[in-house]
Amino acid sequence: SLLSTTGFTPHPLCPLSKPPCLTRSFNALEIAEVELQDKLVTQQPQEDTPSRYVKFAKDNPVANNLIIATAKTAAADLMAQTVFGGKSLMNFDIQRSFLFCVFGGIYLGAFQYAYQVNVFKRLFDVDKFTKQSWGKKLRDIPGLKALGAQTILDLTVLTLVYLPAFYIFKAIVFSRSTDPLFWIKSGIASYTTNFAKDEADLLKVWFPADLICFSVPLYLR
């Protein structure tokens, strides 16, 4: 028999004893099986751990929006002064930049968050739509209708509220008058004078931008 030719004699107390060559083979198979199991475990999809920023944005959506709006306005004024105005950083108007940061924080940060998130959440089912994948969004007809409605409402607010507020604030910053009535008259005059060009630019930029803005998760809105 095979056992007799290999000179292997089973231990009387262990009928399942195997010859040394078979033992080594079985050990190798066990090791290979363990290694395969380890590989399968490591290859299983792991849950994505949100970054620190994403966690902060989800936990503090209002603060996140204020930070983004204020930083965005500061960057815009920095570009306006240095790139378009030709000023060096040594001649940078810090007071003007600070005032624009205040405007960005109050209007773009607080006011826009109030209506784009809090009000729109009451008017539309934004949570369901924004949490879907892009493929599902494109097939969600009620969600797409709500997206269009939000975009139209936002463009209306930008036209009738944002632009007049911006020009009035601009009059506060650049005019040397301390008369609030003058600020309002000057701001409204600039608003009506520039309305056609401003409205065309507003539609070019914010119509496509709003479609994206109102599609992403609420904490990024």
Side-chain angles (χ1 to χ4, degrees):
S1 68
L2 176 62
L3 295 180
S4 62
T5 56
T6 57
F8 172 73
T9 303
H11 193 282
L13 298 180
C14 184
L16 297 180
S17 296
K18 298 175 282 292
C21 60
L22 294 180
T23 303
R24 286 194 295 270
S25 299
F26 278 108
N27 288 341
L29 288 173
E30 291 171 357
I31 293 172
E33 183 180 358
V34 171
E35 291 178 349
L36 179 60
Q37 290 176 350
D38 290 341
K39 288 182 180 180
L40 291 175
V41 170
T42 56
Q43 289 175 0
Q44 288 179 353
Q46 303 292 325
E47 294 185 1
D48 292 334
T49 302
S51 65
R52 288 185 179 181
Y53 168 71
V54 172
K55 187 177 185 306
F56 170 80
K58 288 182 176 180
D59 294 341
N60 307 276
V62 178
N64 179 59
N65 194 68
L66 286 171
I67 292 171
I68 291 176
T70 305
K72 180 180 65 174
T73 310
D77 186 60
L78 175 64
M79 182 178 290
Q81 290 196 50
T82 57
V83 178
F84 299 107
K87 285 185 177 182
S88 66
L89 292 177
M90 296 296 294
N91 298 322
F92 183 75
D93 190 338
I94 297 178
Q95 182 178 2
R96 164 185 153 163
S97 183
F98 173 75
L99 291 173
F100 273 104
C101 285
V102 172
F103 174 75
I106 294 175
Y107 183 92
L108 303 176
F111 175 70
Q112 281 196 162
Y113 183 88
Y115 81 84
Q116 288 185 355
V117 176
N118 295 335
V119 174
F120 282 5
K121 278 178 67 175
R122 296 182 181 183
L123 297 178
F124 310 101
D125 187 7
V126 296
D127 281 316
K128 176 185 175 183
F129 182 77
T130 56
K131 289 179 180 178
Q132 296 180 120
S133 65
W134 288 100
K136 290 182 179 180
K137 285 185 176 77
L138 294 175
R139 295 190 297 269
D140 185 352
I141 302 302
L144 291 174
K145 289 181 179 179
L147 173 63
Q150 290 175 81
T151 301
I152 292 172
L153 283 175
D154 187 53
L155 292 175
T156 302
V157 173
L158 288 171
T159 300
L160 301 179
V161 180
Y162 171 73
L163 287 177
F166 171 77
Y167 280 114
I168 291 172
F169 187 82
K170 189 175 180 182
I172 296 173
V173 174
F174 290 105
S175 72
R176 300 189 180 277
S177 174
T178 57
D179 182 5
L181 187 59
F182 174 82
W183 298 337
I184 296 173
K185 288 182 178 179
S186 176
I188 296 300
S190 297
Y191 167 67
T192 54
T193 301
N194 299 315
F195 180 81
K197 182 182 183 304
D198 286 346
E199 189 65 17
D201 291 339
L202 185 147
L203 291 174
K204 290 176 186 177
V205 174
W206 286 109
F207 177 73
D210 272 355
L211 293 176
I212 298 173
C213 176
F214 298 140
S215 297
V216 299
L218 280 176
Y219 69 89
L220 291 174
R221 177 170 290 197

